[in-house]
Amino acid sequence: MTILTGEYVFAAKVENTYGVDATPDTTLNAMRVKANLQLAKVETEEMDYDSGSTGSKGSIEKSRLVEGDLSAYYAGSGTNNIPPAISPLLKAAALKVSPGADKVDITLDDITDSDSVTGKFFRGTASQTQRGARMDWEIEFSVDALPRIKFPSYKALYQDQENGAKPATIDLSAFKNPRPTNPVRFVTKSIHGYNAAISKVTIKGNCEVVYVPEDQAVKIIDRKVTWDIEFKEPTPDVIDFYKKIGDYGAIDIQVGQDVADEGHIFEAHSANAQLSNVSQTERNKVAYLNATFEAVPTAPNNEITMITR
């Protein structure tokens, strides 16, 4: 039977025990994502020995994983203290999601003890269960595009595909539509104390996700949070960002207006962000800067804090 790409759907559920199937389904756990997954990434070692003849000696499989990336539109839940529906994937990217009375805190989890998810990738009647999945994360706001959240470096334990019935119910109703990032909704745009005219900001976890064969587990072994920000270049009498390369300072952004965008407001803060690189670009014949900042921790897992409300 033909597999139609329009019938793809991905579900994910946080695991109670690493690598034990959490049995996600499309009724309760469907994710509104675009899944770009290689269902079997096989690592082999080529054999080399004297055999009396030329040609290949064959190879031996060493490991077999699911790898790829997931991407989605970023949107709040519509209620200030309810986590966004994408939260299971945030947790599998070593982020802690903590609902409060009037907001949801999204902070860095300990990479040595972060959650994992079981993913299930349905493709028509075909499906594959992907246990022990962990991944990286990126969040992007741009005046030229809808807000996005991406999960690169997705890795999960391999399991053979199955064939059965198509999902009877696919419920994506918890996912709200994204709101465009126009300048009015870009409320706070503070870079080292400068109120910048930001056109694009990308926050990256830069999580290093690997398969550890001795543990038979996918793990996050490192993380280096960065900010890539495009903004209108000020004249040097206001602030010279080329001169500031190497300097440390705070970055604060808020996307979404108080009251008007309640349930869809996003905030992010890094107290100790070092400017590591600056380059020039242009938009509509106006000079802009592309600046990269590295969030340097002053205590474990405090490089960045984020809020949805």
Side-chain angles (χ1 to χ4, degrees):
M1 183 178 291
T2 302
I3 296 176
L4 301 177
T5 58
E7 294 183 338
Y8 288 7
V9 64
F10 182 82
K13 186 177 180 182
V14 173
E15 295 174 339
N16 291 322
T17 303
Y18 179 80
V20 176
D21 188 357
T23 62
D25 63 61
T26 58
T27 302
L28 299 174
N29 313 115
M31 298 282 107
R32 197 170 78 171
V33 300
K34 187 71 173 177
N36 178 26
L37 300 176
Q38 186 173 347
L39 303 188
K41 177 69 180 295
V42 181
E43 184 179 351
T44 63
E45 184 171 329
E46 187 175 329
M47 293 190 292
D48 184 19
Y49 55 86
D50 298 330
S51 65
S53 62
T54 61
S56 172
K57 305 301 188 294
S59 59
I60 301 295
E61 179 178 323
K62 297 191 296 182
S63 65
R64 183 179 295 231
L65 296 175
V66 179
E67 294 190 5
D69 61 82
L70 307 171
S71 62
Y73 297 106
Y74 179 81
S77 67
T79 303
N80 62 3
N81 62 351
I82 293 179
I86 204 76
S87 289
L89 302 184
L90 296 176
K91 294 177 181 179
L95 292 169
K96 189 179 296 184
V97 181
S98 307
D102 57 0
K103 63 179 180 176
V104 177
D105 290 308
I106 301 174
T107 54
L108 301 182
D109 204 354
D110 185 346
I111 61 172
T112 64
D113 192 32
S114 62
D115 284 329
S116 59
V117 296
T118 298
K120 190 152 188 177
F121 192 24
F122 296 88
R123 301 185 305 136
T125 60
S127 66
Q128 184 188 45
T129 300
Q130 302 167 355
R131 297 171 293 108
R134 290 187 169 118
M135 62 208 76
D136 188 14
W137 60 271
E138 298 178 7
I139 301 174
E140 180 178 291
F141 295 94
S142 171
V143 296
D144 294 331
L146 294 174
R148 304 290 302 226
I149 184 164
K150 302 176 183 178
F151 299 95
S153 301
Y154 175 97
K155 290 182 173 66
L157 304 177
Y158 173 82
Q159 190 166 311
D160 289 344
Q161 293 188 85
E162 299 175 345
N163 199 65
K166 297 178 183 180
T169 304
I170 300 172
D171 186 357
L172 296 170
S173 60
F175 287 84
K176 308 305 179 185
N177 285 335
R179 298 191 175 188
T181 311
N182 57 49
V184 174
R185 296 191 67 248
F186 231 134
V187 177
T188 304
K189 302 166 287 184
S190 178
I191 304 173
H192 285 200
Y194 172 65
N195 185 29
I198 294 177
S199 53
K200 183 177 179 180
V201 57
T202 306
I203 309 170
K204 299 179 181 180
N206 295 300
C207 298
E208 187 175 351
V209 187
V210 301
Y211 175 69
V212 182
E214 57 268 34
D215 297 331
Q216 295 186 310
V218 173
K219 294 188 174 183
I220 298 173
I221 61 170
D222 200 5
R223 173 178 56 210
K224 295 178 181 177
V225 177
T226 59
W227 297 68
D228 293 323
I229 307 177
E230 181 186 83
F231 57 99
K232 189 179 294 186
E233 182 178 2
T235 55
D237 60 310
V238 176
I239 185 169
D240 186 348
F241 278 94
Y242 291 102
K243 184 178 179 180
K244 284 180 65 63
I245 293 174
D247 286 2
Y248 293 82
I251 300 177
D252 287 284
I253 66 164
Q254 178 181 324
V255 181
Q257 296 176 282
D258 293 341
V259 182
D261 292 310
E262 184 173 340
H264 295 277
I265 298 168
F266 175 87
E267 299 179 35
H269 169 73
S270 284
N272 195 43
Q274 183 181 31
L275 177 58
S276 61
N277 186 57
V278 178
S279 61
Q280 187 177 327
T281 185
E282 68 172 59
R283 295 168 62 89
N284 300 318
K285 297 188 177 180
V286 174
Y288 276 69
L289 297 178
N290 285 318
T292 297
F293 298 83
E294 298 179 4
V296 180
T298 56
N301 308 317
N302 79 339
E303 296 97 306
I304 190 170
T305 56
M306 295 174 281
I307 291 171
T308 66
R309 59 179 177 87

